[in-house]
Amino acid sequence: MLYDSKFLGDFYMIGLALEGGGSRGAYHVGVMMACLDEGYDFDGFVGTSIGAVNAAVFAQGDFLKAVDLWLNITTEELFDPEACKLIKIAESKWDKDMIASARDSLRKIIEDNGVDTSKIKALIDRNIDEDKLRTSGRDYGLVTVSINERRPYEMFLEDIEHGKLTQYIAASACVPGFQTVIIGDNSFVDGALYNSCPINMLIKKGYSEIIAVRTKAPGVFRKVSSPQGVKITMVVPKHDLGNPLVFSMEKIALNIEQGYQDWKTATKK
């Protein structure tokens, strides 16, 4: 392949860093599609939140599975009825009945210590094959935050105990307000509270070329200085990618297309 690191030298590694953003993660698929069309062969993937999910599917070599997942996903597949009701209400014009309904749903979510994440965890378990990822020969990393220890975890695959990968991915995608993910004695939440696009992880790993895909979703984006000899290409959406919690098939298709086109624009500069 044109950009295969084997043809560029044993120490030239190319990585993809994916920012979090819920439904905006469809944008990652469009960028990845454009990269594959141009012959890119990535040595590693890192991500935060939905970026961690997409990065894992990409790293295990299942890009077509990612496309199929995104083109068929719905809000109802990810959230329980109470959360879906609140999301729909938030997108609508409010009246007295809606306010009453929202109050009831919010009360139920508070009683449950946050939005139920069981459907999200099930989706992650269905689509990520830990053994396949560990034998892929590619680097994989994610970011999450420990509530108990009040510190971030920036972890590569080799740092994660076998059998706990999907738990840490779910932790990385645990948006504030969701039920926290408990691993061992620690409770974890969304890595975007610390670093929404972990470009730094690939720099520290010694990567020569990094493509960083933004979604401009809420979170802490940590700017990095490009060390000498490291090429960083930023792909940033020209247009708003929509509500991170609303998984509209129409919007997802548009965001995939936008990611594809924005990659073309970014590489023309």
Side-chain angles (χ1 to χ4, degrees):
M1 290 186 179
L2 178 61
Y3 292 98
D4 192 326
S5 57
K6 294 176 183 176
F7 292 94
L8 295 170
D10 292 338
F11 300 104
Y12 193 98
M13 297 191 295
I14 306 173
L16 189 68
L18 304 176
E19 186 170 39
S23 64
R24 299 183 185 193
Y27 185 77
H28 301 153
V29 175
V31 175
M32 182 67 172
M33 189 179 297
C35 289
L36 292 176
D37 282 352
E38 293 188 8
Y40 272 80
D41 185 13
F42 292 100
D43 298 285
F45 301 82
V46 295
T48 299
S49 200
I50 192 62
V53 178
N54 282 340
V57 181
F58 294 166
Q60 70 188 28
D62 283 332
F63 176 68
L64 293 181
K65 174 184 281 191
V67 174
D68 182 68
L69 171 65
W70 277 100
L71 290 179
N72 292 285
I73 200 167
T74 64
T75 305
E76 288 74 19
E77 285 184 80
L78 294 173
F79 303 111
D80 66 15
E82 300 301 333
C84 287
K85 190 187 300 181
L86 280 179
I87 291 169
K88 288 179 180 178
I89 289 172
E91 292 286 296
S92 307
K93 292 183 179 180
W94 288 49
D95 57 28
K96 290 183 179 179
D97 290 337
M98 283 187 173
I99 292 172
S101 179
R103 187 185 301 119
D104 292 340
S105 295
L106 188 58
R107 183 182 299 114
K108 176 67 166 59
I109 289 171
I110 293 172
E111 289 173 354
D112 291 340
N113 295 315
V115 173
D116 183 2
T117 58
S118 58
K119 289 186 176 182
I120 296 173
K121 291 175 182 176
L123 180 139
I124 291 171
D125 287 336
R126 286 196 307 271
N127 288 280
I128 294 172
D129 185 328
E130 181 172 354
D131 290 333
K132 190 173 184 179
L133 181 51
R134 288 187 183 275
T135 58
S136 69
R138 300 182 180 93
D139 288 321
Y140 170 74
L142 58 79
V143 185
T144 184
V145 175
S146 166
I147 295 177
N148 306 63
E149 298 174 300
R150 297 183 181 180
R151 73 173 182 89
Y153 276 53
E154 293 185 316
M155 311 173 74
F156 276 101
L157 194 57
E158 57 267 29
D159 304 317
I160 299 173
E161 181 182 342
H162 195 286
K164 294 187 177 180
L165 175 63
T166 58
Q167 294 179 56
Y168 278 105
I169 294 173
S172 181
C174 185
V175 176
F178 287 10
Q179 293 174 351
T180 58
V181 175
I182 299 173
I183 305 174
D185 296 327
N186 278 330
S187 295
F188 291 90
V189 291
D190 199 315
L193 292 174
Y194 175 73
N195 190 354
S196 65
C197 189
I199 304 166
N200 62 303
M201 293 182 69
L202 292 175
I203 292 175
K204 291 176 182 177
K205 198 79 168 175
Y207 275 69
S208 305
E209 183 175 348
I210 300 166
I211 296 167
V213 186
R214 301 286 315 276
T215 65
K216 290 191 172 181
V220 178
F221 176 71
R222 294 183 178 273
K223 294 182 179 180
V224 295
S225 298
S226 178
Q228 185 175 2
V230 178
K231 177 183 178 182
I232 299 177
T233 302
M234 300 288 296
V235 186
V236 184
K238 289 184 177 180
H239 308 290
D240 181 56
L241 300 179
N243 188 326
L245 295 178
V246 177
F247 289 75
S248 157
M249 290 186 181
E250 180 180 0
K251 187 63 174 175
I252 284 171
L254 288 173
N255 286 347
I256 291 174
E257 176 62 23
Q258 186 176 335
Y260 190 95
Q261 296 302 328
D262 285 351
W263 162 256
K264 299 291 186 181
T265 300
T267 53
K268 285 179 182 178
K269 295 179 180 180

